[in-house]
Amino acid sequence: MKKFSVLLALVGLALGTLLIGWFGAGGVFGAAFALGWVGFFWLVLCQLGILAWLGLAWRTLLRTGSPLTYVWGRMVRDSAGNLLPFSQMGGFIFGARAITLHGVSARRAVASTLVDVAIEFLAQMAFAGVGLVILILRVPNSALVWPLAIGLALAVIGGAAFIALQQGVGAIFRALTERISAGWLRRQTARIGALEGELSGIYQRVPRLALAGSVHFIGWIYAGLTTWLALHLLGSAIDVASAIALEAILQAGLNFAVLVPGYLGVQEAALAAIGALFGVAPEVTLAFSLIRRARDIAIGVPVLLLWQAFEARRVRETLLS
């Protein structure tokens, strides 16, 4: 799986490089550097705000624990998914691991991550629905309208199935145990049963699920506003609604490229194609993609280094105990 992820990353990197070369590296890099350090600082600050908000959405699912713990876990999740040579799935695992270093049980970390990912996915689909409506109003004859509508419908069905599967995983595993009664499998069944209990406890808090979904949705609207600010600073005349639609359609597309590390190449191709629908030059959208990656590096590298420092401290404490 790791080799496959690395292969996808190399293919994506080649695609992104090809796109930048095709539309003119000089124009792309010129647009990116025109942003300046002050503009870049504001975009980094906006992204930190988005991560903090999405971390609070994760914490909303639970009754206990410091909100800062989940904000930190969200930062590790996104940093690992964007920078490490793994798929986004690796980011989910590392984010859950990060909060266990700050007092959250492994069972609760895994269960809450699974639910948070599912709820955020549905919120993203609602966000994509907003983007679809704006696209229909602005570009009614776009060839993207029907594929996006069908993709959204299938994604919502898939998200609902994922949630249903989470709630039934314990029963499925116990049924297998009745067929294969090895001792080690019985022990694993106990662990799965505990995880299922944690999942059920979270899913029973319907008001919290609804609130978490609403917080996620607001967070993605905020991400759309940040996209407008970035494109505005790059000299684009795109309006707020179109920028929100661009970000919404982009996120819907990226969800189907979850196995590509950092969405290399996919993000660049999607931004160039979607931006053209709203009259944004490909040089500007590709510059925006490079800036997003620079922003992710500026945030992600310190986050990952600090996470590894926490891991090293845990190892020392274990050895000394």
Side-chain angles (χ1 to χ4, degrees):
M1 190 64 184
K2 182 178 178 181
K3 291 180 180 178
F4 182 62
S5 294
V6 172
L7 176 61
L8 288 176
L10 292 175
V11 172
L13 182 61
L15 175 60
T17 304
L18 179 63
L19 285 170
I20 292 173
W22 180 267
F23 290 107
V28 173
F29 285 104
F33 287 126
L35 177 69
W37 288 109
V38 174
F40 183 70
F41 169 79
W42 283 111
L43 294 183
V44 169
L45 200 61
C46 286
Q47 184 62 18
L48 288 172
I50 293 172
L51 292 174
W53 186 260
L54 296 178
L56 292 177
W58 185 2
R59 169 60 179 79
T60 301
L61 294 169
L62 305 168
R63 293 172 177 168
T64 58
S66 169
L68 292 177
T69 297
Y70 294 90
V71 170
W72 169 247
R74 180 64 196 224
M75 294 176 70
V76 172
R77 181 197 298 181
D78 281 44
S79 297
N82 290 331
L83 300 185
L84 297 182
F86 305 102
S87 68
Q88 297 301 306
M89 300 297 182
F92 301 152
I93 295 170
F94 296 141
R97 167 64 186 175
I99 65 174
T100 64
L101 300 177
H102 298 278
V104 180
S105 69
R107 184 177 65 245
R108 172 160 292 186
V110 172
S112 63
T113 296
L114 288 171
V115 179
D116 184 57
V117 168
I119 295 299
E120 181 174 16
F121 178 76
L122 294 178
Q124 278 187 325
M125 292 306 99
F127 180 47
V130 172
L132 176 61
V133 170
I134 296 173
L135 177 65
I136 292 172
L137 293 175
R138 297 293 172 87
V139 195
N141 297 321
S142 171
L144 194 60
V145 170
W146 278 108
L148 181 58
I150 294 171
L152 279 177
L154 293 175
V156 170
I157 293 172
F162 179 64
I163 291 174
L165 180 62
Q166 287 180 29
Q167 298 187 73
V169 66
I172 294 171
F173 204 87
R174 280 193 295 271
L176 290 174
T177 306
E178 293 176 1
R179 299 276 183 178
I180 310 170
S181 57
W184 71 270
L185 192 53
R186 292 195 189 98
R187 290 193 296 273
Q188 297 306 315
T189 303
R191 294 176 184 175
I192 292 295
L195 176 61
E196 183 190 29
E198 191 73 42
L199 285 168
S200 297
I202 296 174
Y203 278 121
Q204 286 172 4
R205 303 166 196 153
V206 177
R208 285 182 174 271
L209 292 173
L211 180 58
S214 300
V215 174
H216 272 300
F217 180 76
I218 294 171
W220 286 107
I221 293 293
Y222 175 23
L225 295 174
T226 300
T227 294
W228 171 81
L229 175 62
L231 292 173
H232 177 72
L233 292 174
L234 289 171
S236 173
I238 189 172
D239 60 88
V240 172
S242 295
I244 289 174
L246 188 154
E247 182 67 29
I249 298 170
L250 171 66
Q251 291 301 326
L254 293 182
N255 275 319
F256 292 97
V258 69
L259 294 179
V260 182
Y263 304 118
L264 284 171
V266 179
Q267 175 178 284
E268 286 71 24
L271 277 171
I274 301 167
L277 294 175
F278 297 102
V280 183
E283 294 86 354
V284 174
T285 49
L286 288 173
F288 174 48
S289 182
L290 292 178
I291 289 167
R292 285 171 74 114
R293 296 200 180 281
R295 177 202 66 193
D296 292 341
I297 291 171
I299 295 172
V301 170
V303 166
L304 293 177
L305 289 175
L306 185 57
W307 169 46
Q308 287 305 295
F310 288 140
E311 291 280 1
R313 185 181 67 180
R314 170 63 66 87
V315 171
R316 285 196 302 269
E317 291 174 352
T318 302
L319 292 175
L320 293 174
S321 62

